[in-house]
Amino acid sequence: ETVAAEWAAANHCFPEPVVERLAGPPGDLGVTRLTWQAPGRPAVELYRVEGGGHTWPGGAPYLPERIIGPVAKYLDATGLILQAFAAALIA
């Protein structure tokens, strides 16, 4: 969160993020999105997975959960990264 806030400051965003709890299916891990923004400036987003393990959100587990921890199944980390790169290319 500290690094995201530093990126936001470098982008001249407002210092306080907008905090949203993302609704997922029952039984999945909780996800909170923090967004730092300002008019005419690129936003900085941080997705915080509560209780997640050493996993890739939305990806297939590469080892049993007892070893790597739980996966946030409904959050598509790959899709979010691709959307961010696409938005940067358009801007």
Side-chain angles (χ1 to χ4, degrees), residues 14 16-20 33-37 43-47:
F14 297 129
E16 293 301 317
V18 173
V19 179
E20 293 177 82
R33 177 174 51 209
L34 291 83
T35 305
W36 290 262
Q37 53 196 355
V44 174
E45 291 184 335
L46 171 69
Y47 289 82

Side-chain angles (χ1 to χ4, degrees), residues 19-33:
V19 179
E20 293 177 82
R21 174 101 169 130
L22 303 182
D28 204 353
L29 299 175
V31 176
T32 303
R33 177 174 51 209

Side-chain angles (χ1 to χ4, degrees), residues 19 30 50 56 71 76 91:
V19 179
E50 290 125 23
W56 188 255
V71 177
D76 179 11

Side-chain angles (χ1 to χ4, degrees), residues 73-91:
K73 296 173 185 73
Y74 76 96
L75 183 67
D76 179 11
T78 302
L80 291 169
I81 290 169
L82 291 174
Q83 286 175 358
F85 281 122
L89 290 173
I90 293 169

